[in-house]
Amino acid sequence: DIVMTQSPDSLAVSLGERATINCKSSQSVLYNSNNKNYLAWYQQKPGQPPKLLIYWASTRESGVPDRFSGSGSGTDFTLTIDSLQADDVAVYYCQQYSTTPFTFGPGTKVHIK
Amino acid sequence: QITLKESGPMLVKPTQTLTLTCTFSGFSLTTLGVAVGWIRQPPGKALEWLGLIYWDDDKRYSPSLRTRLTITKGTSENQVVFTMTNVDPMDTATYYCAHRGRSGNTYHHFFDFWGQGTLVTVSS
């Protein structure tokens, strides 16, 4: 199985500041055939299901604010939230969809400082 | 608009079989590339991918749970049935069904629409 790790476990950020979340996969999720990274990011607020934010490591899902951005390639990825809003308080998960089982990271909790 | 909803028992006894139904709308599980996945989340913990069923009835399961899981299409065209045998208190979790994500004209294994989830407690 591909093991996904995230850092930090928890992150306190002031309103309007940047939040940066890291995700690492135990194997590369980059397919050379199409040069795509099979990596997605989700946001989960308390009592709600996860919401897809980003796929292909950097493609924002329709309707997701542009303050959310994804970057990285191979085994190392980053989710950046520019100008954190109160509504962004949530747990963020990365997921690799390169190889079954399509594993998730342990999550990073973002809260307001 | 795509929607999914999980239904089933809230409480199951250890060693029993858990059966959940995912009822969906806004897409067809006969369309090329479409799939419905199952993911669970123990209280306060992370998401765990369990398996999925494809439009052509192919299935994939988590290796760690493969012997206990079955995912099938339901008797109604808009339903998927998830079965887990020999449940244990460690299986206590919110169980989600989700729609396989679409990028352009192709489907991939991220999930773009999720049900609200159903909390299943395993306890005697």
Side-chain angles (χ1 to χ4, degrees):
Chain A
D1 297 4
I2 296 178
V3 177
M4 307 299 291
T5 56
Q6 290 182 232
S7 62
D9 295 334
S10 181
L11 184 59
V13 178
S14 300
L15 290 173
E17 296 299 305
R18 174 177 291 179
T20 301
I21 301 168
N22 300 301
C23 172
K24 185 183 260 302
S25 57
S26 61
Q27 302 171 36
S28 175
V29 298
L30 172 63
Y31 269 57
N32 292 325
S33 58
N34 58 9
N35 199 36
K36 286 183 180 293
N37 287 283
Y38 285 57
L39 191 285
W41 288 96
Y42 300 85
Q43 174 194 65
Q44 187 179 32
K45 297 179 180 179
Q48 296 185 19
K51 173 187 174 184
L52 176 66
L53 295 177
I54 285 171
Y55 54 95
W56 299 133
S58 61
T59 300
R60 260 189 309 275
E61 172 72 334
S62 175
V64 173
D66 60 7
R67 65 178 182 274
F68 291 91
S69 62
S71 62
S73 185
T75 61
D76 293 278
F77 301 91
T78 300
L79 175 69
T80 301
I81 311 172
D82 282 321
S83 188
L84 188 82
Q85 307 296 304
D87 189 51
D88 300 334
V89 169
V91 179
Y92 293 83
Y93 295 94
C94 58
Q95 179 215 2
Q96 65 81 17
Y97 52 99
S98 165
T99 309
T100 57
F102 301 120
T103 43
F104 292 87
T108 294
K109 187 173 185 177
V110 174
H111 53 101
I112 306 297
K113 184 184 291 182
Chain B
Q1 178 178 340
I2 290 175
T3 66
L4 305 99
K5 185 174 183 179
E6 307 84 355
S7 59
M10 296 174 59
L11 180 65
V12 183
K13 289 181 166 47
T15 75
Q16 287 186 339
T17 295
L18 167 66
T19 300
L20 298 173
T21 300
C22 176
T23 302
F24 56 85
S25 64
F27 67 93
S28 172
L29 197 43
T30 61
T31 299
L32 178 69
V34 172
V36 171
W38 287 89
I39 304 98
R40 72 178 178 179
Q41 184 173 38
K45 296 189 177 180
L47 302 164
E48 180 183 12
W49 184 87
L50 300 176
L52 50 67
I53 184 166
Y54 294 92
W55 80 99
D56 61 358
D57 213 35
D58 193 13
K59 294 129 185 174
R60 294 288 184 271
Y61 297 107
S62 170
S64 63
L65 293 167
R66 185 192 308 276
T67 60
R68 298 173 54 209
L69 299 184
T70 304
I71 302 174
T72 60
K73 294 183 180 180
T75 52
S76 297
E77 286 187 345
N78 66 335
Q79 290 186 330
V80 168
V81 178
F82 171 91
T83 302
M84 175 182 283
T85 60
N86 192 26
V87 296
D88 178 89
M90 295 284 287
D91 296 314
T92 293
T94 295
Y95 286 77
Y96 296 99
C97 61
H99 175 265
R100 185 186 184 195
R102 183 170 173 174
S103 171
N105 292 324
T106 57
Y107 290 87
H108 301 276
H109 292 105
F110 52 87
F111 298 105
D112 55 1
F113 293 93
W114 295 62
Q116 284 297 309
T118 185
L119 175 61
V120 178
T121 300
V122 180
S123 174
S124 55

